Amino acid sequence: MKRIAVFTSGGDAPGMNAAIRAVVRNGVAHGLEVIGIRNGYQGMIEGDFVPLGPRDVANILQRGGTILLTARSKDFMSPEGRAKAAENLKKAQIDGVIAIGGNGTYAGAAKLIEEHHIPVVGAPGTIDNDLYGTDYTIGFDTAVNTALEAIDRIRDTAASHSRVFFIEVMGRHAGFIALEVGIAGGAEVIVIPEIPTDAKTCAEVINKSAEKGKRSSIVVVAEGGYEGGAEQLEKDVRQYSGFEGRVSVLGHIQRGGSPTAKDRVLASRLGAAAVEALISGASGVAVGEVNDEIRLTPFKEAIEQRKEINQKKFELAKVLAL
Amino acid sequence: MKRIAVFTSGGDAPGMNAAIRAVVRNGVAHGLEVIGIRNGYQGMIEGDFVPLGPRDVANILQRGGTILLTARSKDFMSPEGRAKAAENLKKAQIDGVIAIGGNGTYAGAAKLIEEHHIPVVGAPGTIDNDLYGTDYTIGFDTAVNTALEAIDRIRDTAASHSRVFFIEVMGRHAGFIALEVGIAGGAEVIVIPEIPTDAKTCAEVINKSAEKGKRSSIVVVAEGGYEGGAEQLEKDVRQYSGFEGRVSVLGHIQRGGSPTAKDRVLASRLGAAAVEALISGASGVAVGEVNDEIRLTPFKEAIEQRKEINQKKFELAKVLAL
Amino acid sequence: MKRIAVFTSGGDAPGMNAAIRAVVRNGVAHGLEVIGIRNGYQGMIEGDFVPLGPRDVANILQRGGTILLTARSKDFMSPEGRAKAAENLKKAQIDGVIAIGGNGTYAGAAKLIEEHHIPVVGAPGTIDNDLYGTDYTIGFDTAVNTALEAIDRIRDTAASHSRVFFIEVMGRHAGFIALEVGIAGGAEVIVIPEIPTDAKTCAEVINKSAEKGKRSSIVVVAEGGYEGGAEQLEKDVRQYSGFEGRVSVLGHIQRGGSPTAKDRVLASRLGAAAVEALISGASGVAVGEVNDEIRLTPFKEAIEQRKEINQKKFELAKVLAL
Amino acid sequence: MKRIAVFTSGGDAPGMNAAIRAVVRNGVAHGLEVIGIRNGYQGMIEGDFVPLGPRDVANILQRGGTILLTARSKDFMSPEGRAKAAENLKKAQIDGVIAIGGNGTYAGAAKLIEEHHIPVVGAPGTIDNDLYGTDYTIGFDTAVNTALEAIDRIRDTAASHSRVFFIEVMGRHAGFIALEVGIAGGAEVIVIPEIPTDAKTCAEVINKSAEKGKRSSIVVVAEGGYEGGAEQLEKDVRQYSGFEGRVSVLGHIQRGGSPTAKDRVLASRLGAAAVEALISGASGVAVGEVNDEIRLTPFKEAIEQRKEINQKKFELAKVLAL
């Protein structure tokens, strides 16, 4: 193995740059050349390659986003697109690839291996934390802290006005962000896809909170936790509670920002580990960190298995909202 | 003058607590007793009064929101409500009142003076900066920095994905926040109530930006800058530009958070100045800071005159987006 | 068990308030009364007790420091002092105690159990992360992120001036903060008590960094990593390197601030778990989180066993500084 | 005027990059070519020039430090050095120069004009705010907010332990940062070069604070406010007060970090204004913002006149510490 490539794909996540830096520096430390592919799979198809040395990744550790850019590629969905991508990789004499992204990224990589026998190792870069095979994904801790900061601000206003706030955080299929932010933000109710909550129950909790003397309540809703999101939940709750809530959809701010220490360290470890996995001959696997140890998980498993939320934490949240 | 009262009213703004602290401490320094009225005009009507000494306002300087709470009061709209409020103030032997809030707060105070001859001095507490008679209102600088931080985060994502973002900031009638944030955030387009922009022009600027090699563009829209807000503007721009933008409505996060240094200092100065104005016999005026000097402005003028945005800054923003 | 007490002791750590809140709310949820002891062991001796209900711990989740205050108590070092403390606890009909703090706190609790048979469960509250029996201590993640933010700022200056910075972070006996911050901050050299580094080696790394084209270098030093700290290391390195470095001792800022999401969640879990341990009859143990599971560790073990740093991370740091 | 140059000199300040961006974009908007000089006057002597177009200054608005780097140049102190610098500027056909920095930068520019008749306009880039001819310097607002954040953190610890903290902030000759931070941070005592305070008075205020029931006190000391700084003041105060204080020297963290909104807007305005001043034929003057208007001040005046601190603010600080 002489030359490897690295790219980011799917939604950007804070820490992707730290992972790129670790891939490049650990690659070079192992005597490899490293090529960056810009714009994810689309750049692979278009041959948008750029050599990366240790100095090229200087001063990016603390930056949000991804210097290699990212894009969703329709072309890569077709066998022809993938063939073109593989051709470019081979022309550039790339012996192995590191793919930083989420489920879709892994699925694409699996196809590339299957059809074109190019070794690929994945690294989990997504704020949603919904990837099996790693305790945390790169970007999750930062997204949680960003959402938390927003909730802390909203609480000032909620408390000053005696209001109920419905705050929507990211998580279409998984409630990891909502659960963590809900506990850390002292939410009265947490609504996540894994554990359905109806508007009536939600209204009851809020009304009970008011009876207990709380001047304001906060409901944290994962995007996919309620049909129609926080906006709809507020409307439905109003029917049972008699009061009007305020809605705040945090949205895109959760993706950006300088990564937290935890995300930088995780990304650094996983980026470095991906290089070592490739060198050792691994392919079709994603690196992850489980109980502070590096673990490799086959793409198939990483994609198909569902990472479970911690039920005890969900129960704890209720007690803490006493 | 032996006893004064202080309250906050209207939307909460970071720095209101710093102003309350300054009123209490400067009041006591001048030998006065200070009473806090909770929940704004509503608390005045309900007699929700609490004595405030120097220690009661300890450790609030850095807190968002308002310890005295705030509420919109329908009862105060009626002469009966105001009579009840005045009666409570007189019963509590309050010789003068300091009202921290915006336009509506000043208007209410003017009625109280007119109908019941109770001395009131106002202090400008609102994030919108739309009050005549002061260069800046308490809370504006914090709101601008909060919005800016959000934009910095969104820019990470925008740049990584080559996207156009439409970001809505507060400001129903005034573009102060949008203008300041737009310049500081490097926006390609700034849309404010004072200077109408149509979707076509907006689309042209964005398209030109792309031609100039910019990978992403940011449009900052004041709530009242475009009929239907950022959401509608994005839809309308799409017709002319051919691309799909992303929308982010910053909303309530802009109200909260620990106040910036500037807001704490401004609030401290104005709170202290309001006490001195009351003592010196002033009433029906709002304190403000103009060119670093304290200035008193009659409520009528503060309400009726429109504070103008700085046209040169608006022009500068265009040049900077080159 | 009808009534329990909770206190904080030793250096304050962000998240202590979140732990107190969890103790109170989970205690009440289990039908217990909860008493707060102010000023740590000193308050135990002086009988400085205050009942805590669910509303008393509202709005403290996000606050740094500890509402129960903390102090180092000389009186508690003597058998007489401890006897007085035990007497107060018994007089107040306290059936069990939760002690939030570090090594010294655990040692004091062990004495109290031994001499007076009062059940005590500990919870690890210290920024240093140097407690055996838990992956992380309450406050560590926040301290690391605070130090990291400082380093990010210093890097701006270091890069603009082509300077070498020696940054001292907390950690008299353990290098956890330095190691984490060093990796996350992209340090060229990390100096910790566990792995001695001499000035000559340090100078060589810095000089090599300059040869590789780095305009600036950052050396992160744990308080106890070098005799005389960062100040002395800079002086000694100067002898070998020929250039003058700048020194920054981060100091007390690392203790304060609003806790991160991770610290709030950890503190909430451990506070709640401590209540359950007490109820289940445990005493003389500390709660901890190991591999995402709650674990109880005897005080003796928690005090005597040394938590090891992760050698692989230390090696990784060198590769990343390439 | 066809081609202008821009450089940064002296200590770096947040917002310098925003100023560079404004110079480049407004220069190009006026049909000029813009050249960046790296490493300040030293780079001028060494001919370290780089052409800057609008895209070269993209994405720097939010960055601390200076992309053009800065250095103190001994060579420029000599007539020979300056002659070499002038020769380089002429060879590069540079018709005018914009110098961003402080007093020393202006003094150097004045020499260049006097000896070599090269037009230079200055812009005030220094965190100290000690430049005559502008209400605020670029970087001051950010430095104040950074120091304030540190003080807010320290207050958590101070309050939890009942401690007195002596916090040293930047300002060797001027107390602007200390005064602003002191008011915003709720300091009990503010010690600045402009208004001497002795240790005895300081001790008295702290003791009185304790008598009034304050659990902790904060003393903010400008670097040049007391012989020996905060370290020495603490020692001297100890003699009169009987208690031991803690010392925190904030140091270099105050220089870095992403600039605040205010600093970005100020830097953008002043950078743009400097271009217009040069074009209009001005030289030997610094741009500034006074009462929200752009003003030009001759270097001689900017250097020799002392900007006064606001005595009323200093008095206010005492009242607020009640």
Side-chain angles (χ1 to χ4, degrees):
Chain A
M1 189 154 289
K2 282 189 186 161
R3 184 180 292 153
I4 63 170
V6 58
F7 69 96
T8 51
S9 170
D12 64 309
M16 280 184 160
N17 283 328
I20 295 167
R21 171 177 175 268
V23 166
V24 171
R25 294 201 171 165
N26 201 27
V28 171
H30 281 86
L32 302 173
E33 284 174 59
V34 185
I35 304 294
I37 302 170
R38 289 156 47 102
N39 284 309
Y41 287 116
Q42 194 58 32
M44 205 182 270
I45 291 172
E46 295 170 5
D48 194 353
F49 297 176
V50 52
L52 293 176
R55 290 289 71 68
D56 297 314
V57 292
N59 214 15
I60 67 168
L61 177 62
Q62 76 278 21
R63 302 244 167 95
T66 158
I67 60 161
L68 288 178
L69 310 171
T70 176
R72 320 229 172 221
S73 170
K74 272 187 197 165
D75 297 344
F76 196 78
M77 301 290 186
S78 72
E80 296 73 29
R82 293 192 292 271
K84 181 75 188 128
E87 195 190 312
N88 283 334
L89 292 173
K90 284 169 186 170
K91 222 188 306 172
Q93 295 182 289
I94 288 164
D95 304 316
V97 178
I98 290 167
I100 304 168
N103 254 325
T105 309
Y106 289 1
K111 286 275 187 194
L112 206 61
I113 298 169
E114 188 192 323
E115 295 170 5
H116 302 284
H117 315 291
I118 294 166
V120 187
V121 166
T126 164
I127 62 168
D128 289 329
N129 200 30
D130 59 347
L131 283 174
Y132 187 82
T134 191
D135 289 340
Y136 297 103
T137 55
I138 297 164
F140 173 66
D141 189 58
T142 306
V144 166
N145 279 289
T146 301
L148 180 58
E149 206 183 292
I151 289 178
D152 283 352
R153 287 180 191 280
I154 288 171
R155 186 205 303 281
D156 287 340
T157 284
S160 297
H161 287 271
S162 305
R163 277 177 183 161
V164 177
F165 266 90
F166 294 77
I167 302 172
E168 186 177 306
V169 299
M170 286 208 168
R172 226 164 273 172
H173 308 292
F176 293 102
I177 293 179
L179 179 55
E180 212 73 9
V181 162
I183 294 176
E188 272 64 30
V189 186
I190 300 172
V191 183
I192 55 177
E194 291 89 342
I195 302 174
T197 308
D198 58 73
K200 200 181 161 193
T201 310
C202 187
E204 282 167 6
V205 176
I206 296 168
N207 282 335
K208 235 180 249 171
S209 290
E211 285 165 25
K212 284 187 283 189
K214 295 195 181 193
R215 285 184 54 87
S216 63
S217 285
I218 285 176
V219 180
V220 170
V221 189
E223 263 175 310
Y226 195 84
E227 182 77 36
E231 199 87 45
Q232 189 59 44
L233 180 58
E234 188 276 329
K235 277 186 200 136
D236 294 351
V237 164
R238 219 187 295 169
Q239 314 232 333
Y240 299 99
S241 67
F243 61 79
E244 198 183 335
R246 304 281 159 143
V247 176
S248 185
V249 178
L250 297 187
H252 300 278
I253 58 166
Q254 294 164 84
R255 282 205 180 286
S258 183
T260 59
K262 195 172 181 336
D263 269 333
R264 296 191 203 178
V265 173
L266 177 67
S268 297
R269 284 187 87 179
L270 295 183
V275 171
E276 274 149 39
L278 258 192
I279 291 173
S280 73
S283 179
V285 297
V287 294
E289 194 187 84
V290 175
N291 294 344
D292 205 38
E293 296 290 333
I294 298 300
R295 183 177 298 180
L296 301 182
T297 302
F299 282 150
K300 197 178 146 59
E301 208 178 313
I303 293 165
E304 288 176 7
Q305 297 259 22
R306 186 181 172 82
K307 184 150 96 187
E308 303 294 340
I309 64 143
N310 188 327
Q311 285 273 354
K312 281 185 210 156
K313 275 194 187 173
F314 189 81
E315 293 307 317
L316 175 64
K318 289 186 195 168
V319 171
L320 295 174
L322 195 72
Chain B
M1 190 156 286
K2 283 189 186 163
R3 186 180 289 151
I4 62 171
V6 58
F7 70 97
T8 50
S9 171
D12 66 307
M16 279 184 162
N17 282 327
I20 294 167
R21 172 179 176 266
V23 167
V24 171
R25 296 202 169 162
N26 202 26
V28 171
H30 281 86
L32 302 174
E33 283 175 60
V34 185
I35 305 294
I37 302 169
R38 288 157 48 102
N39 284 310
Y41 286 116
Q42 192 59 32
M44 205 182 272
I45 291 171
E46 296 170 4
D48 194 354
F49 296 175
V50 52
L52 293 175
R55 291 288 72 67
D56 298 313
V57 293
N59 215 15
I60 65 167
L61 178 62
Q62 76 277 21
R63 301 244 168 95
T66 158
I67 60 160
L68 288 178
L69 312 171
T70 175
R72 319 230 173 219
S73 170
K74 272 188 197 164
D75 298 344
F76 196 77
M77 302 289 186
S78 72
E80 295 74 28
R82 292 192 293 270
K84 181 77 187 125
E87 196 189 312
N88 283 334
L89 292 173
K90 283 169 187 172
K91 221 188 305 173
Q93 295 182 286
I94 287 164
D95 304 315
V97 178
I98 291 168
I100 305 168
N103 254 325
T105 308
Y106 289 0
K111 285 275 186 195
L112 205 60
I113 297 170
E114 188 193 321
E115 296 171 3
H116 302 283
H117 315 290
I118 294 166
V120 188
V121 167
T126 165
I127 61 170
D128 290 328
N129 199 30
D130 59 347
L131 283 175
Y132 187 82
T134 191
D135 289 340
Y136 297 103
T137 56
I138 298 165
F140 173 67
D141 190 57
T142 306
V144 165
N145 278 289
T146 302
L148 181 58
E149 207 183 290
I151 290 177
D152 282 352
R153 287 180 192 279
I154 288 171
R155 185 206 304 279
D156 286 342
T157 285
S160 297
H161 286 270
S162 306
R163 278 177 183 161
V164 177
F165 266 90
F166 293 76
I167 302 172
E168 186 177 304
V169 299
M170 286 207 169
R172 228 164 271 171
H173 308 293
F176 293 102
I177 293 179
L179 179 56
E180 211 73 9
V181 161
I183 294 176
E188 270 65 30
V189 186
I190 300 172
V191 183
I192 55 177
E194 291 89 341
I195 302 175
T197 309
D198 58 74
K200 199 179 163 196
T201 309
C202 187
E204 282 167 6
V205 175
I206 296 167
N207 283 335
K208 235 179 250 173
S209 290
E211 284 164 25
K212 283 186 283 188
K214 294 196 181 191
R215 283 184 56 85
S216 63
S217 285
I218 285 177
V219 180
V220 169
V221 189
E223 264 176 311
Y226 194 83
E227 181 78 34
E231 201 85 46
Q232 190 58 45
L233 180 59
E234 188 277 328
K235 278 187 200 136
D236 294 350
V237 165
R238 218 186 298 166
Q239 313 234 333
Y240 299 100
S241 68
F243 62 80
E244 199 182 335
R246 303 280 159 145
V247 176
S248 185
V249 178
L250 297 187
H252 299 279
I253 58 167
Q254 294 164 85
R255 282 205 180 286
S258 182
T260 58
K262 195 172 178 340
D263 269 333
R264 296 192 203 178
V265 173
L266 178 67
S268 298
R269 285 186 86 180
L270 294 184
V275 171
E276 274 149 39
L278 258 192
I279 290 174
S280 74
S283 179
V285 297
V287 294
E289 193 187 85
V290 176
N291 293 344
D292 204 38
E293 297 289 335
I294 299 299
R295 184 177 298 182
L296 302 182
T297 303
F299 281 150
K300 197 177 146 61
E301 208 178 314
I303 294 165
E304 288 175 7
Q305 297 260 22
R306 187 180 173 82
K307 184 150 97 187
E308 302 294 339
I309 64 144
N310 187 328
Q311 285 273 354
K312 280 185 211 156
K313 275 194 185 174
F314 189 82
E315 294 306 317
L316 174 64
K318 291 186 194 167
V319 171
L320 294 173
L322 194 73
Chain C
M1 190 153 288
K2 282 190 186 162
R3 185 180 291 151
I4 62 171
V6 58
F7 69 97
T8 50
S9 171
D12 65 308
M16 280 184 161
N17 282 327
I20 294 167
R21 171 179 176 265
V23 167
V24 171
R25 295 201 171 165
N26 202 26
V28 172
H30 281 86
L32 301 173
E33 285 173 59
V34 185
I35 305 294
I37 301 169
R38 289 155 49 101
N39 282 311
Y41 287 115
Q42 193 58 31
M44 205 183 271
I45 291 171
E46 295 170 4
D48 194 354
F49 297 175
V50 51
L52 293 176
R55 290 292 70 69
D56 298 313
V57 292
N59 215 16
I60 66 167
L61 177 62
Q62 75 278 19
R63 300 245 169 96
T66 159
I67 60 160
L68 288 178
L69 311 171
T70 176
R72 318 228 172 220
S73 170
K74 273 188 197 166
D75 298 344
F76 197 78
M77 301 289 186
S78 72
E80 296 73 29
R82 293 193 291 273
K84 181 76 187 128
E87 195 190 312
N88 283 334
L89 292 173
K90 284 169 186 170
K91 222 187 308 173
Q93 296 182 288
I94 287 164
D95 304 316
V97 178
I98 290 168
I100 305 168
N103 253 327
T105 309
Y106 289 0
K111 287 274 187 194
L112 205 61
I113 297 170
E114 189 193 320
E115 295 171 3
H116 302 283
H117 315 290
I118 293 166
V120 188
V121 167
T126 164
I127 62 170
D128 289 329
N129 199 30
D130 58 348
L131 283 174
Y132 187 82
T134 191
D135 289 341
Y136 297 103
T137 55
I138 298 164
F140 173 67
D141 189 57
T142 306
V144 166
N145 279 290
T146 301
L148 180 58
E149 206 182 291
I151 290 178
D152 282 352
R153 287 180 192 279
I154 288 171
R155 186 205 303 280
D156 286 341
T157 285
S160 297
H161 286 270
S162 305
R163 279 178 183 161
V164 177
F165 266 91
F166 294 77
I167 301 171
E168 186 177 305
V169 300
M170 287 208 168
R172 227 164 273 172
H173 308 291
F176 293 102
I177 292 179
L179 179 55
E180 212 72 9
V181 162
I183 294 176
E188 271 65 29
V189 186
I190 300 172
V191 182
I192 55 177
E194 292 88 342
I195 302 174
T197 309
D198 58 73
K200 199 181 164 193
T201 310
C202 187
E204 281 167 7
V205 176
I206 296 168
N207 282 335
K208 236 180 247 170
S209 289
E211 285 165 24
K212 283 186 284 189
K214 294 196 181 193
R215 284 185 53 87
S216 62
S217 284
I218 284 176
V219 180
V220 170
V221 189
E223 264 176 309
Y226 195 84
E227 181 77 34
E231 200 87 44
Q232 188 59 44
L233 180 58
E234 188 276 328
K235 277 187 200 135
D236 294 350
V237 164
R238 218 187 296 167
Q239 315 233 332
Y240 299 99
S241 68
F243 61 80
E244 199 184 334
R246 304 280 159 145
V247 176
S248 184
V249 178
L250 297 188
H252 299 280
I253 59 166
Q254 293 165 84
R255 283 206 180 284
S258 182
T260 59
K262 194 172 180 339
D263 270 332
R264 296 192 203 177
V265 174
L266 177 67
S268 298
R269 285 186 85 179
L270 294 184
V275 170
E276 274 149 39
L278 257 192
I279 289 174
S280 74
S283 179
V285 297
V287 294
E289 193 187 86
V290 176
N291 293 344
D292 204 37
E293 297 290 334
I294 298 300
R295 183 177 297 181
L296 302 181
T297 302
F299 281 151
K300 198 177 144 61
E301 208 178 315
I303 293 165
E304 287 175 7
Q305 297 259 22
R306 187 181 171 80
K307 186 150 97 187
E308 303 293 339
I309 65 143
N310 188 328
Q311 286 272 353
K312 281 185 209 155
K313 274 195 187 173
F314 189 82
E315 294 307 317
L316 174 64
K318 290 186 194 167
V319 171
L320 294 174
L322 194 73
Chain D
M1 190 156 287
K2 282 188 186 164
R3 185 180 291 152
I4 63 171
V6 58
F7 69 96
T8 51
S9 171
D12 64 308
M16 280 184 161
N17 282 328
I20 294 167
R21 172 179 175 265
V23 167
V24 171
R25 294 201 171 163
N26 202 28
V28 171
H30 281 86
L32 301 173
E33 285 175 60
V34 185
I35 304 295
I37 302 170
R38 288 156 49 102
N39 283 310
Y41 287 115
Q42 192 59 31
M44 205 182 272
I45 291 171
E46 296 170 4
D48 194 354
F49 296 175
V50 51
L52 293 175
R55 290 290 70 68
D56 298 313
V57 292
N59 215 16
I60 65 167
L61 178 62
Q62 76 278 21
R63 301 246 168 93
T66 158
I67 59 162
L68 288 178
L69 311 170
T70 175
R72 320 229 170 218
S73 170
K74 274 190 197 165
D75 298 345
F76 196 77
M77 302 288 186
S78 71
E80 296 74 30
R82 293 193 292 270
K84 181 77 186 126
E87 193 189 314
N88 283 333
L89 293 173
K90 284 170 185 170
K91 223 188 305 172
Q93 295 182 288
I94 287 163
D95 304 316
V97 179
I98 290 168
I100 305 169
N103 253 327
T105 309
Y106 289 180
K111 285 276 186 195
L112 205 60
I113 297 170
E114 187 192 323
E115 295 171 3
H116 301 284
H117 315 290
I118 293 166
V120 188
V121 166
T126 165
I127 62 169
D128 290 328
N129 199 30
D130 58 347
L131 283 174
Y132 186 82
T134 191
D135 288 340
Y136 297 104
T137 55
I138 297 165
F140 173 67
D141 189 58
T142 306
V144 165
N145 278 289
T146 300
L148 180 58
E149 207 183 290
I151 289 178
D152 282 352
R153 287 180 191 279
I154 288 171
R155 186 205 304 279
D156 286 341
T157 284
S160 297
H161 286 270
S162 306
R163 278 179 183 159
V164 177
F165 266 91
F166 294 77
I167 302 171
E168 185 177 304
V169 299
M170 287 207 169
R172 227 163 274 172
H173 308 293
F176 293 102
I177 292 179
L179 179 56
E180 211 73 8
V181 161
I183 294 176
E188 271 65 30
V189 186
I190 300 172
V191 183
I192 55 177
E194 292 88 342
I195 302 174
T197 309
D198 58 74
K200 199 180 163 195
T201 310
C202 187
E204 281 167 6
V205 176
I206 296 168
N207 282 336
K208 235 179 250 171
S209 290
E211 285 163 26
K212 283 186 283 188
K214 295 197 180 191
R215 284 184 55 86
S216 64
S217 284
I218 285 178
V219 180
V220 170
V221 189
E223 265 175 311
Y226 195 83
E227 182 77 35
E231 200 86 45
Q232 189 58 42
L233 180 59
E234 188 277 328
K235 277 188 201 134
D236 295 350
V237 164
R238 219 187 296 167
Q239 314 233 334
Y240 299 100
S241 67
F243 62 79
E244 200 183 334
R246 304 280 159 146
V247 176
S248 184
V249 178
L250 298 187
H252 299 280
I253 59 166
Q254 295 164 83
R255 283 205 179 286
S258 182
T260 59
K262 194 171 178 344
D263 269 333
R264 296 192 203 177
V265 173
L266 177 67
S268 297
R269 285 186 87 180
L270 295 184
V275 171
E276 275 149 39
L278 258 192
I279 290 173
S280 73
S283 180
V285 296
V287 294
E289 194 187 85
V290 176
N291 294 343
D292 205 37
E293 296 290 333
I294 298 300
R295 184 178 298 182
L296 303 182
T297 303
F299 283 150
K300 198 178 146 58
E301 208 177 316
I303 293 166
E304 288 176 6
Q305 297 260 22
R306 188 180 172 82
K307 185 150 97 186
E308 302 295 339
I309 64 143
N310 188 328
Q311 285 272 354
K312 282 186 210 155
K313 275 194 185 174
F314 189 81
E315 293 307 317
L316 175 64
K318 290 186 194 168
V319 171
L320 294 173
L322 194 72

